[in-house]
Amino acid sequence: MRTSRRTLATPLSRPSLSSPSLTAVRNLGILAHVDAGKTTVTERILFATGAVHKRGEVHEGTTVTDFDTQERDRGITIFAAAVSCSWDGHRINLIDTPGHVDFADEVERSLRVLDGAVAVFDAVAGVEPQSESVWRQADRYGVPRIAFVNKLDRAGADLDTAVASLRERLGAVPLVAQLPIGHEDGFTGVVDLVRMRALLWPADSTGYEKGAIPDGLRGEAERRRRLLEETAAELHPAALEEFCATGALTDDSLALALREVTLDGTGTVVLCGSAYRNRGVEPLLDAVVAYLPSPADMPAVRGSSAGGGEQERAPDPAQPVAALAFKVAVTATGRLTYLRVYSGTLRKGDTVLDAGTGRTERVARILRVQADRHTELDEAPAGDIVAVVGPKTARAGTTLCAPHAPLLLEPPGTAEPVVSVAVEARRSTDTGRLAAALARLVEEDPSLVVRSDAETGQTVLSGMGELHLEVAVEKIRRDQGLDVVVGRPQVSYRETVLSGVAGLVHRHVKQDGGAGQFAHVVIDVEPVEPVEPVEPSEGGHGGEERATTGTVFEFRSTVVGGRVPQEYVRAVEAGCRDALVDGPLGGHPVTGLRVTLTDGATHANDSSELAFRTAGRAALRAALRASTMGLLEPVADVVVTVPDEAVGAVLGDLAARRGRVAGSTSRSGTTAVTAVVPLAELFGYASRLRGRTQGRGTFTARPAGLAPVPAAVTDRILTR
């Protein structure tokens, strides 16, 4: 199975490949925080490579990759979009990923199938919260990357400050390979420190010119070149040997060292430019080709074979087919399944096996994807990223492989949803259509979860954030034409007995002609055990003292002398259970009580099981009205992970939400706070936490049973 850190194939261990074209492919993603210029970088790459003939602009809604209506309306990337282009004899399969934290799961699925990445940073802001998150995601998958410091033409832009933030916030070892020429509005080009030349973009030209380094920058360029050589030598043994022997590195030796430290993840090449002004894009493409890995550089993919053992499959077009689905899109023209082909050659008309379900599917068409446009292909060899039409049941994470050589690949991880809303169709006749639309949403986006709450009857949609859910609901409205009502999910409260009553007598007599009904019962009601507040645990999980989420009810009989026959005792118990459905405080289910039948009487002709069941139900309802009742609410174990400087604000917010903090642990500049928080207080917490931590805070929550509601809060709940 795939490990969290990939080890790239070395020249000695690299498999023998039947197709040299593998070395001419680059599969990369563009990663960044919102508004760092990620989509603009993608657009300029497409323009520079000739894939498009007009530069798209985010603010004009003319970009290739942000083709969805909501993306253009909101001006942000929501869905990962794949495009393909060519540069210097290499095919570049590029995925433009979302930058908003609510869509981090889309980034996760893309990183699972990519070989390399370009991380884009704002030259003014440096490392921002979501750029930190996507960097950590790339670390988990061992994806080599280079950094592009964008927007050097902005006021306040500073390459050195941005590079310092990479070092401090990300723990990266930056290898700065370029020096800006000009400052802010006067930014006109860069000095290539590897080849020691100037690259200039004239204002009236779409291309760039190579020339000598300006005299005023030569001294600084030589100093930075020396620093680049020293850093590369520290990271690369062969470069160190040459540096010690000659006191310098040749251009080719430096370039080779930069490639190899990029591939093994020990260093990060840093480039700079202004994508909006079309400056720095061509050298970025050169760096992608020079430093990022091809499929031939990747190790053999590992998966589970049919016998349950582990098996490797080399990135060889002659091997049996093995491909991983990482995205599903249901369009007006059909269902597209996006694949990364790891081995073999997938051909149009092939029958493939879904290794997870054992079903076979037919590949009707293979498409080269250009965002929302497609070009048909006859085949897709190992190392390629394509979309296929035909598979009907494949989901993100599905392995499609040759039927005679089954192999199950590790799917990308899926985060647990943190925000929920209740959804329903405004018209009851649209309920079926809404269910189908929700099922389609979940099919396309596995980070969305739909469930039906058995107690409240609500359909609950859960996702990664409020914007995530807002986009999902708007998609239903636009694509399906459904009028959807969105509301706050209801909390399933419980009522319990704090102090009961003894000797409550209830006589049920009914006579309306014919056989009558008679039942006489005497009951005691008491709590099962004293209700204590839930105490949080250090590990974030509930202790043994915590109430369960189910109904706790005990019934026993102390009647002697046969005054109430056994079959009537069972009927009284059934009647008591009927009474637990709605309590006297607010109509919530009742839990945590013991009922004892102490006495009773029967009538020779009129007593029956129905009469005693009715008497038991009425008797317990009367007893509950006479008892002291309390309200219980569901609580969750919450672990909040935040930067050290935000701990105070987070603790204050948890206290305001009636959270009970157990403790905290600190590591590497972050603190994990463990607490138990009422579920009702967690609605909207994701957005509040991000606001208090500048988007750097995360939290996980899991159900932890029930806890008493304070009296003041009880009054507020009951008067809603």
Side-chain angles (χ1 to χ4, degrees):
M1 303 295 283
R2 188 175 190 155
T3 58
S4 60
R5 187 73 178 173
R6 292 181 289 191
T7 303
L8 297 175
T10 65
L12 294 177
S13 65
R14 186 176 298 163
S16 174
L17 302 176
S18 60
S19 174
S21 63
L22 274 177
T23 60
V25 175
R26 298 292 184 272
N27 296 314
L28 71 141
I30 307 293
L31 313 175
H33 184 87
V34 174
D35 204 34
K38 172 176 43 59
T39 299
T40 302
V41 169
T42 304
E43 290 297 317
R44 296 305 184 263
I45 287 175
L46 294 177
F47 181 74
T49 57
V52 298
H53 301 293
K54 182 180 179 182
R55 289 173 287 190
E57 304 293 352
V58 173
H59 59 276
E60 294 176 358
T62 57
T63 58
V64 173
T65 53
D66 286 354
F67 58 87
D68 185 84
T69 305
Q70 289 199 70
E71 291 179 312
R72 293 185 170 178
D73 289 349
R74 299 173 188 270
I76 62 171
T77 301
I78 296 173
F79 310 105
V83 292
S84 187
C85 56
S86 297
W87 180 257
D88 193 24
H90 293 71
R91 171 162 295 283
I92 298 176
N93 295 319
L94 188 152
I95 297 179
D96 180 21
T97 63
H100 196 284
V101 63
D102 281 16
F103 308 103
D105 211 60
E106 191 92 357
V107 181
E108 188 89 9
R109 292 192 294 274
S110 299
L111 284 171
R112 172 63 179 84
V113 300
L114 294 174
D115 299 330
V118 174
V120 180
F121 300 93
D122 189 317
V124 177
V127 175
E128 296 174 274
Q130 185 58 13
S131 52
E132 185 176 351
S133 298
V134 296
W135 188 274
R136 303 301 181 205
Q137 287 177 292
D139 277 342
R140 286 200 300 273
Y141 284 99
V143 176
R145 71 218 78 142
I146 57 180
F148 181 71
V149 179
N150 191 28
K151 301 188 178 183
L152 275 177
D153 59 316
R154 285 184 60 194
D158 187 271
L159 175 63
D160 292 337
T161 302
V163 170
S165 69
L166 264 71
R167 187 181 293 108
E168 295 163 6
R169 296 276 295 273
L170 304 179
V173 180
L175 296 150
V176 183
Q178 291 179 344
L179 171 66
I181 299 175
H183 185 61
E184 297 180 354
D185 282 344
F187 172 69
T188 58
V190 298
V191 174
D192 177 1
L193 298 176
V194 177
R195 302 296 174 185
M196 291 302 286
R197 59 189 178 183
L199 307 177
L200 297 170
W201 284 265
D204 57 349
S205 174
T206 57
Y208 70 102
E209 300 172 355
K210 301 174 184 177
I213 299 173
D215 293 338
L217 286 177
R218 177 160 291 279
E220 180 65 10
E222 290 175 350
R223 185 186 71 80
R224 291 184 180 242
R225 163 65 184 239
R226 181 72 176 182
L227 180 61
L228 179 60
E229 290 179 1
E230 291 173 353
T231 307
E234 290 174 1
L235 301 174
H236 192 274
L240 178 61
E241 184 177 341
E242 180 179 335
F243 188 80
C244 291
T246 65
L249 295 177
T250 65
D251 294 353
D252 290 341
S253 296
L254 178 57
L256 178 61
L258 293 180
R259 171 177 169 78
E260 295 192 358
V261 298
T262 299
L263 296 186
D264 64 25
T266 55
T268 304
V269 173
V270 180
L271 308 176
C272 60
S274 170
Y276 179 68
R277 296 187 184 274
N278 209 40
R279 294 168 185 169
V281 177
E282 294 91 345
L284 175 62
L285 285 165
D286 290 337
V288 165
V289 169
Y291 304 136
L292 291 180
S294 70
D297 295 308
M298 306 308 295
V301 68
R302 296 177 181 178
S304 300
S305 61
E310 191 173 275
Q311 185 180 115
E312 290 189 349
R313 195 72 60 79
D316 185 347
Q319 291 277 323
V321 171
L324 183 69
F326 66 94
K327 180 180 174 69
V328 172
V330 182
T331 68
T333 57
R335 186 177 189 275
L336 297 181
T337 304
Y338 290 75
L339 301 174
R340 162 67 189 266
V341 183
Y342 281 99
S343 68
T345 300
L346 184 67
R347 295 181 174 84
K348 184 168 64 173
D350 279 356
T351 297
V352 292
L353 174 72
D354 182 333
T357 64
R359 296 180 51 141
T360 56
E361 303 268 16
R362 182 177 177 275
V363 177
R365 300 165 65 199
I366 302 175
L367 306 174
R368 174 76 64 203
V369 181
Q370 200 77 356
D372 58 340
R373 300 188 297 274
H374 317 104
T375 304
E376 290 215 26
L377 302 174
D378 292 327
E379 62 182 33
D384 213 347
I385 292 178
V386 294
V388 297
V389 178
K392 295 181 175 58
T393 60
R395 301 288 187 269
T398 294
T399 301
L400 298 179
C401 57
H404 66 277
L407 184 73
L408 181 63
L409 303 177
E410 181 183 1
T414 301
E416 292 294 325
V418 296
V419 178
S420 302
V421 294
V423 294
E424 65 178 25
R426 190 177 295 277
R427 296 186 297 272
S428 59
T429 54
D430 289 336
T431 301
R433 290 179 60 204
L434 175 60
L438 289 171
R440 175 173 166 176
L441 269 183
V442 173
E443 181 180 347
E444 294 189 47
D445 186 353
S447 60
L448 290 170
V449 175
V450 177
R451 63 180 176 86
S452 178
D453 193 306
E455 295 184 9
T456 64
Q458 291 181 310
T459 298
V460 178
L461 177 65
S462 303
M464 304 307 299
E466 293 176 7
L467 178 61
H468 188 203
L469 296 180
E470 184 182 324
V471 167
V473 172
E474 185 63 22
K475 188 174 178 64
I476 293 176
R477 288 173 175 153
R478 291 191 180 192
D479 294 356
Q480 306 299 321
L482 284 171
D483 190 1
V484 180
V485 179
V486 179
R488 184 182 177 122
Q490 297 176 12
V491 172
S492 302
Y493 292 100
R494 296 286 191 277
E495 297 177 25
T496 191
V497 175
L498 301 179
S499 63
V501 296
L504 186 137
V505 179
H506 181 78
R507 180 187 292 263
H508 173 65
V509 179
K510 184 177 181 181
Q511 192 72 46
D512 53 2
Q517 294 185 22
F518 176 87
H520 177 89
V521 295
V522 182
I523 62 172
D524 295 343
V525 175
E526 59 186 330
V528 169
E529 59 185 13
V531 179
E532 298 292 340
V534 175
E535 292 296 332
S537 61
E538 289 284 351
H541 307 297
E544 295 299 324
E545 76 281 6
R546 177 163 314 197
T548 66
T549 55
T551 300
V552 178
F553 170 69
E554 295 180 8
F555 181 87
R556 63 184 181 181
S557 172
T558 60
V559 177
V560 295
R563 293 177 59 81
V564 180
Q566 190 59 39
E567 62 269 23
Y568 294 165
V569 171
R570 289 194 293 269
V572 173
E573 179 181 357
C576 289
R577 291 188 181 276
D578 293 341
L580 298 177
V581 174
D582 51 352
L585 287 181
H588 307 289
V590 183
T591 186
L593 73 159
R594 179 185 296 115
V595 176
T596 304
L597 178 63
T598 60
D599 200 3
T602 63
H603 186 278
N605 295 322
D606 293 344
S607 291
S608 64
E609 291 186 19
L610 176 60
F612 272 90
R613 182 167 185 161
T614 303
R617 179 170 61 249
L620 182 54
R621 284 179 173 169
L624 293 176
R625 289 193 296 270
S627 300
T628 302
M629 301 293 292
L631 202 62
L632 299 176
E633 63 182 343
V635 294
D637 273 326
V638 176
V639 180
V640 187
T641 304
V642 296
D644 288 342
E645 61 269 22
V647 171
V650 168
L651 289 175
D653 191 40
L654 287 174
R657 294 173 184 272
R658 300 189 286 118
R660 298 173 61 88
V661 177
S664 62
T665 57
S666 297
R667 185 176 61 187
S668 302
T670 61
T671 298
V673 179
T674 303
V676 170
V677 185
L679 186 62
E681 302 290 347
L682 286 177
F683 296 137
Y685 182 60
S687 297
R688 178 66 64 86
L689 177 64
R690 290 167 187 163
R692 289 181 177 271
T693 62
Q694 295 182 327
R696 298 171 65 192
T698 61
F699 80 99
T700 59
R702 56 178 292 174
L706 302 170
V709 179
V713 181
T714 298
D715 294 339
R716 188 170 71 242
I717 292 172
L718 296 178
T719 54
R720 284 177 181 169

